[in-house]
Amino acid sequence: MPQDHLSATFAALADPTRRAILARLTSGDAAVMDLAKPFDMSLPAISKHLKVLERAGLISRSQDAQRRPRRLEPERLKEVAEWLGTYREFWEASFGRLDDYLEQLQAKEKPRERKKARTRRRAR
């Protein structure tokens, strides 16, 4: 996967307004006016957000008579998920090693705790 796709996707996802637009589009295609409703911003501002999403390949626009509804293009999100998946494997392996280490520490602590408990009983 070309790195520029990934960079453009992450740049587009960096803005909460654009993430909200994408979330809305998961329920189906929508016209610009419908996408703009929940936001307190001008239509030109919404259009700029839509252009960023389009350039990143996250949405597309179609033409339906006078309307130009936007549609979610999930392929780029799939690319991001696959890229992140390689790091998920790394973290899962790291946490697995940490679990093993903690179990070893706990196993070493148990004999010490028994010895301390015997010493406390004798001191009474």
Side-chain angles (χ1 to χ4, degrees):
M1 166 179 48
Q3 186 65 27
D4 59 314
H5 283 175
L6 198 55
S7 296
T9 302
F10 277 119
L13 294 173
D15 186 274
T17 300
R18 292 191 285 266
R19 290 192 306 269
I21 290 169
L22 289 176
R24 163 54 187 85
L25 289 172
T26 62
S27 62
D29 297 1
V32 175
M33 294 297 286
D34 295 330
L35 293 171
K37 282 181 187 174
F39 304 104
D40 185 25
M41 61 179 67
S42 67
L43 281 177
I46 290 292
S47 292
K48 286 181 183 180
H49 284 295
L50 294 173
K51 285 178 186 173
V52 171
L53 292 169
E54 284 180 42
R55 280 194 300 267
L58 292 166
I59 66 171
S60 62
R61 104 174 81 163
S62 58
Q63 190 157 355
D64 179 20
Q66 298 296 334
R67 292 175 16 121
R68 289 192 175 89
R70 285 354 190 244
R71 166 178 293 143
L72 181 65
E73 296 295 338
E75 187 60 33
R76 289 289 164 84
L77 292 174
K78 182 181 174 200
E79 291 174 0
V80 169
E82 289 170 355
W83 184 80
L84 290 172
T86 61
Y87 291 94
R88 182 176 320 144
E89 292 169 12
F90 166 78
W91 283 110
E92 286 173 358
S94 295
F95 287 136
R97 289 191 302 274
L98 179 60
D99 285 341
D100 293 344
Y101 178 70
L102 292 175
E103 285 175 12
Q104 289 172 4
L105 287 179
Q106 287 174 342
K108 288 179 183 178
E109 285 294 316
K110 287 181 182 177
R112 287 184 191 165
E113 288 175 9
R114 283 189 223 128
K115 187 176 178 181
K116 285 181 185 178
R118 276 186 284 188
T119 305
R120 277 189 232 132
R121 276 189 248 137
R122 287 184 200 156
R124 289 185 199 168

